[in-house]
Amino acid sequence: MSDILDPSALRDRAEALVAAALKAGADAADAVAVRGMSLGVDIRLGALEETERSESDDFGLRVFVGKRHASIGANVIGDPAALAERAVAMARVAPEDPMAGLADPARLTREIANLDLVDATIPSTRDLIDRAMAAEEAARAVAGVTNSGGAHAGWSLGGLVLVTSHGFSGAYLVSRHSLSVTAVAGSGTGMERDYDATSKTHLADLDDPLAIGRSAGERAVRRLNPRKLPTQKAHVVWDRRAAVGLIGHLSSAINGVAIARKTSFLKDRMGQAIFPKGVTITDDPSRPRGLGSRPFDGEGLASAPLAVVEDGVLNHWFLDSTTGRELGLASNGRASRGTGSPSPSSTNLTLLPGNRSRDALLADIKTGLYVTDMIGSGVNGITGDYSRGASGFWIENGELTYPVSEVTIAGNLIDMFARLQVADDLIYRFSMNAPTVAVEDLTIAGK
């Protein structure tokens, strides 16, 4: 394990790439090394279906010649000079980019925080098989479950080494333990399926396999005998799992690339109220053991927490150095990175809880749709028009009644965000998290 956790060899290769690029004529350069290891098993009906294992070290070199730049990648570094010379040759014939360049050297992080992102526990194949078996057995034991879509248990270790020609050298690793199971209920044309899953940086935090299995089975059984709805306007409530999708649409709309290209429906809304008062959405890369946490971004900048939306007002785009320059702003440390050029993204994006319970939120609804799953990706990023398939349960007098399927929810995200109601039942399970939310008077297209 100590060899796996030691990034020294990767750092040496990245430093050699940067030095070779400068020797080949680059004015500036950065190099990344991405380590990836994974182990996973798939179980179905109590039998092992597949075992997968992978290991890789991938390298990327980005070079700048004046305002021209190019990136090149490799999974084996033989002669660093040959790779660097090829990258510099590519940059010299690339078109000029006035926004090109490394991050501001004055803002490079000098202290790499320990966010407790690595669990030294490496499970064996047998450990993963037992975990997946337990989850599937628990799902199949639920009354009404008739089949299994299978269970998957996995472990991975990934990391990033970043070296720049203007003085940054850093590395971090992230471990991940995961488990998922899908249950099938009913028979013939009346079959329904649902799932549950858990993913954590540390094995000790992983949800109990038996609880995950029971949850998947119970969710599948609750979906049996769904009804179709007539087209109408009504309240729509998204449970926590489905509400994450709405936060994802916000994340895409405030990405600096979309703002710079003017392809976002929020491009002119900085500093304006886009949610009701009291709504706050944060992005925090420094959360210990967070699934989206990192001690520095893809350009070597510290990634401080942001109140992206505060009291309903939009305060920030997600910016790396390039998009920041395009918009006349400074990067806010949101550069993500593989072996290619950086691009902005969220880290741990969270809609903070409101001041009402989920039950209180439902109690005010005479009739409406409670959404547990979304289907498709029908969102126009330029206009904010929203049209997505959904399934869930019909609400009558504040109570969930019968299951519903094959409906489409239609609206516009600008209007939906402005009328969002937020419950207090937030649980951190993903890199994007949200409590139960509701929007009144949306179109539900049915039969």
Side-chain angles (χ1 to χ4, degrees):
M1 183 67 179
S2 58
D3 291 341
I4 297 172
L5 295 179
D6 184 2
S8 300
L10 293 180
R11 194 193 305 262
D12 290 345
R13 294 177 196 175
E15 289 175 349
L17 284 172
V18 169
L22 298 179
K23 187 175 180 179
D27 298 314
D30 63 8
V32 293
V34 180
R35 168 158 289 172
M37 302 182 65
S38 66
L39 176 64
V41 301
D42 291 301
I43 299 294
R44 186 169 182 273
L45 298 176
L48 176 64
E49 285 201 327
E50 188 173 17
T51 301
E52 295 181 335
R53 183 181 186 93
S54 67
E55 297 183 23
S56 66
D57 289 334
D58 297 307
F59 301 88
L61 175 66
R62 184 172 59 143
V63 302
F64 299 88
V65 179
K67 287 298 181 181
R68 306 174 192 272
H69 65 97
S71 296
I72 194 168
N75 53 22
V76 176
I77 302 297
D79 180 7
L83 193 67
E85 288 168 3
R86 196 178 315 144
V88 170
M90 291 167 57
R92 284 177 173 148
V93 297
E96 287 198 353
D97 181 354
M99 305 303 170
L102 299 177
D104 181 353
R107 299 187 57 216
L108 295 173
T109 185
R110 303 300 176 187
E111 295 185 9
I112 298 177
N114 179 7
L115 302 179
D116 198 12
L117 299 179
V118 177
D119 179 359
T121 305
I122 300 180
S124 67
T125 301
R126 184 72 255 173
D127 293 334
L128 296 181
I129 291 172
D130 291 345
R131 201 169 299 152
M133 288 276 195
E136 190 193 45
E137 287 175 5
R140 294 174 66 193
V142 173
V145 170
T146 55
N147 207 336
S148 170
H152 175 84
W155 165 86
S156 66
L157 182 71
L160 178 73
V161 171
L162 173 65
V163 174
T164 74
S165 61
H166 64 351
F168 181 83
S169 179
Y172 66 88
L173 290 172
V174 179
S175 60
R176 189 80 76 242
H177 298 268
S178 62
L179 175 66
S180 63
V181 60
T182 300
V184 180
S187 60
T189 58
M191 286 192 298
E192 296 289 339
R193 67 171 55 210
D194 212 321
Y195 73 96
D196 205 350
T198 176
S199 179
K200 300 292 182 183
T201 59
H202 284 246
L203 179 59
D205 298 332
L206 199 70
D207 292 346
D208 178 28
L210 300 182
I212 291 296
R214 283 194 299 269
S215 173
E218 290 167 357
R219 291 177 71 102
V221 171
R222 285 199 301 268
R223 295 178 63 148
L224 287 172
N225 304 313
R227 304 183 194 177
K228 297 181 181 180
L229 296 174
T231 297
Q232 60 190 287
K233 285 199 169 185
H235 268 81
V236 176
V237 180
W238 287 260
D239 78 353
R240 289 178 300 214
R241 192 167 83 180
V244 169
L246 291 177
I247 305 308
H249 299 318
L250 171 71
S251 178
S252 298
I254 61 175
N255 187 292
V257 173
I259 301 301
R261 294 176 179 172
K262 301 188 183 302
T263 57
S264 167
F265 63 92
L266 294 178
K267 66 182 184 300
D268 300 317
R269 302 299 295 271
M270 177 67 80
Q272 298 180 25
I274 63 170
F275 288 93
K277 278 186 170 296
V279 172
T280 296
I281 300 173
T282 63
D283 187 70
D284 184 3
S286 64
R287 181 151 59 83
R289 300 192 180 190
L291 294 182
S293 297
R294 61 194 185 198
F296 57 85
D297 80 343
E299 296 180 298
L301 303 186
S303 301
L306 294 178
V308 176
V309 173
E310 190 168 18
D311 202 23
V313 176
L314 177 62
N315 290 331
H316 298 280
W317 315 126
F318 293 133
L319 301 175
D320 61 1
S321 294
T322 298
T323 55
R325 293 181 190 116
E326 290 184 58
L327 296 169
L329 300 168
S331 169
N332 49 28
R334 290 316 185 267
S336 61
R337 192 74 176 269
T339 56
S341 296
S343 61
S345 70
S346 64
T347 59
N348 294 305
L349 188 63
T350 306
L351 171 60
L352 297 187
N355 54 18
R356 285 198 297 168
S357 69
R358 168 188 172 276
D359 290 345
L361 191 68
L362 289 173
D364 291 339
I365 300 174
K366 184 176 180 181
T367 57
L369 177 65
Y370 185 84
V371 177
T372 57
D373 281 289
M374 305 299 301
I375 305 166
S377 54
V379 175
N380 187 319
I382 299 175
T383 64
D385 289 336
Y386 180 96
S387 178
R388 294 194 65 190
S391 61
F393 298 87
W394 188 242
I395 305 168
E396 289 185 357
N397 298 318
E399 300 288 337
L400 303 188
T401 56
Y402 52 84
V404 172
S405 67
E406 297 183 30
V407 297
T408 300
I409 301 168
N412 185 279
L413 286 171
I414 294 175
D415 176 61
M416 292 163 64
F417 287 166
R419 296 186 288 127
L420 196 74
Q421 303 169 56
V422 184
D424 67 356
D425 59 342
L426 174 69
I427 295 177
Y428 291 95
R429 295 193 67 188
F430 312 104
S431 59
M432 290 186 186
N433 295 282
T436 301
V437 300
V439 177
E440 62 181 352
D441 201 29
L442 286 177
T443 297
I444 303 171
K447 59 183 180 180

